[in-house]
Amino acid sequence: MPLFANKIFSFGIISATLNAIARMAVMFMLIFYFQGALEKDALVAGIMTIPLAAGMLVVSPLAGSLGDKYGETTPATVGLFLSIFGLAGLALDTNLATPFWNLALYMTVISIGSGLFNSPNSSSIMNAAGAKYRGEASGIRSLTTNMGMMLSIAFSMPIVTHSIPPEAMLAIFSGTQVGMNGAESSLNGFISGLHAVF
């Protein structure tokens, strides 16, 4: 608990948690969008979310070295602003007529933003904790990030599902149904909920 008296550590943990809340729902909701609204099967829906990881894969190592060279604050802050831009794009431009390349662009921007944020944020937290408490700091960061991911799903699911029949939702996620079987009102309600979540 004394670690939380350090402002750099505390703010690093808070920002990592908020980033996890913002990010996890994106992947979960996009898979539901691809399977439910666009009627793709689970494998194709999974493949379509690759841009959410691709940018992070490339940028994370670069962000770590940038953070070491120029300080953690700038790359982490730029990363969060990129994530905001990507989320805003998804919120404003996701509908049945949106071409996949648009969605892929927004997913890649979010992914690059997360890559720019995660490495410097982790480094900042570990440096603030000092060598003596790195194990505890790592455990706290993992705990709060996982908690943020769970909260992300808990916050987003009620928003997006309030107008979708539970049977349709269950069928799509269990893999026994692809699409919403032409239920126009459910589809429109889902798209509106998706915009609100993003």
Side-chain angles (χ1 to χ4, degrees):
M1 293 309 289
L3 283 171
F4 287 98
N6 183 320
K7 286 183 181 180
I8 294 173
F9 177 84
S10 295
F11 284 121
I13 290 293
I14 290 167
S15 61
T17 305
L18 293 174
N19 185 54
I21 290 171
R23 262 198 103 241
M24 185 60 186
V26 173
M27 182 181 67
F28 200 67
M29 292 299 113
L30 282 172
I31 285 190
F32 188 42
Y33 168 74
F34 293 141
Q35 285 187 258
L38 299 187
E39 302 184 354
K40 307 294 184 188
D41 64 40
L43 177 62
V44 173
I47 291 169
M48 291 172 82
T49 61
I50 286 175
L52 274 175
M56 197 181 318
L57 179 72
V58 173
V59 171
S60 288
L62 299 173
S65 64
L66 284 173
D68 291 341
K69 195 170 184 180
Y70 301 109
E72 294 95 357
T73 305
T74 301
T77 304
V78 169
L80 291 177
F81 276 105
L82 282 175
S83 293
I84 290 169
F85 176 76
L87 285 168
L90 287 176
L92 299 172
D93 194 28
T94 303
N95 56 61
L96 297 178
T98 305
F100 176 71
W101 71 265
N102 271 28
L103 298 177
L105 175 66
Y106 299 134
M107 286 189 276
T108 303
V109 168
I110 292 169
S111 180
I112 289 170
S114 290
L116 278 171
F117 170 78
N118 283 329
S119 297
N121 176 259
S122 294
S123 177
S124 173
I125 289 169
M126 295 305 128
N127 289 338
K132 186 177 178 184
Y133 295 108
R134 283 201 178 121
E136 289 88 340
S138 177
I140 291 167
R141 187 181 192 281
S142 295
L143 170 71
T144 56
T145 301
N146 286 329
M147 184 178 69
M149 291 178 181
M150 290 186 293
L151 287 172
S152 182
I153 302 302
F155 291 155
S156 62
M157 287 305 289
I159 295 170
V160 83
T161 61
H162 76 279
S163 59
I164 301 171
E167 313 79 52
M169 182 91 152
L170 183 61
I172 290 165
F173 276 115
S174 65
T176 59
Q177 175 181 316
V178 174
M180 295 187 181
N181 290 339
E184 195 67 33
S185 62
S186 293
L187 195 53
N188 291 335
F190 170 72
I191 296 294
S192 296
L194 199 63
H195 291 168
V197 166
F198 290 145

